[in-house]
Amino acid sequence: LLAGAPGGSSSRKAPPAPISTSLAGALADDRWDACQKWTFAHAAAPYPSAEDKADLARKAGWPRGTGSRRVQHWFSNMRKRKYLKLRDGTRAPRDAFEAQLYHFIRRGADADASP
């Protein structure tokens, strides 16, 4: 939205900075849940295997029968709502999770671009 337009803002907040610049630091931080930590560690391709989904469901404390499905929905929603937009650069990070994820996406892209 443009400044001065209905619903617009004359001052935009800068996107949040990543909380940790190292993967080890992000994985050790208790503010992130198991799915978020897995996403940081696999930022280049956040598509967990069936085994990963079962493990994440167990770590999240979700029931055996529906836990893997809940993990699948979490990742599907996260990719649609956050990951793809951040990866493609169609919008800036809006919260701490997105800032941290964007950092690891960019770090991976930078590593791929180096000779």
Side-chain angles (χ1 to χ4, degrees):
L1 295 172
L2 300 174
S9 172
S10 60
S11 64
R12 292 201 175 219
K13 288 170 53 174
I19 292 165
S20 176
T21 56
S22 75
L23 180 58
L27 297 179
D29 196 328
D30 289 337
R31 87 182 75 227
W32 311 118
D33 67 32
C35 290
Q36 290 172 323
K37 288 179 180 182
W38 192 96
T39 302
F40 297 153
H42 300 88
Y47 298 89
S49 67
E51 185 177 302
D52 290 331
K53 290 176 200 170
D55 186 48
L56 290 167
R58 183 186 51 75
K59 287 179 181 176
W62 291 337
R64 285 180 58 119
T66 60
S68 291
R69 189 167 8 116
R70 289 177 70 177
V71 170
Q72 175 61 38
H73 286 278
W74 187 92
F75 276 95
S76 178
N77 288 333
M78 182 276 301
R79 286 188 300 264
K80 283 189 283 189
R81 296 174 185 167
K82 298 174 184 277
Y83 178 80
L84 295 174
K85 293 175 183 178
L86 294 171
R87 183 197 68 189
D88 297 341
T90 57
R91 75 168 168 80
R94 295 180 178 166
D95 59 27
F97 171 72
E98 289 183 8
Q100 193 68 65
L101 177 58
Y102 183 75
H103 171 75
F104 291 124
I105 291 170
R106 290 291 114 214
R107 190 173 80 173
D110 292 343
D112 292 342
S114 63

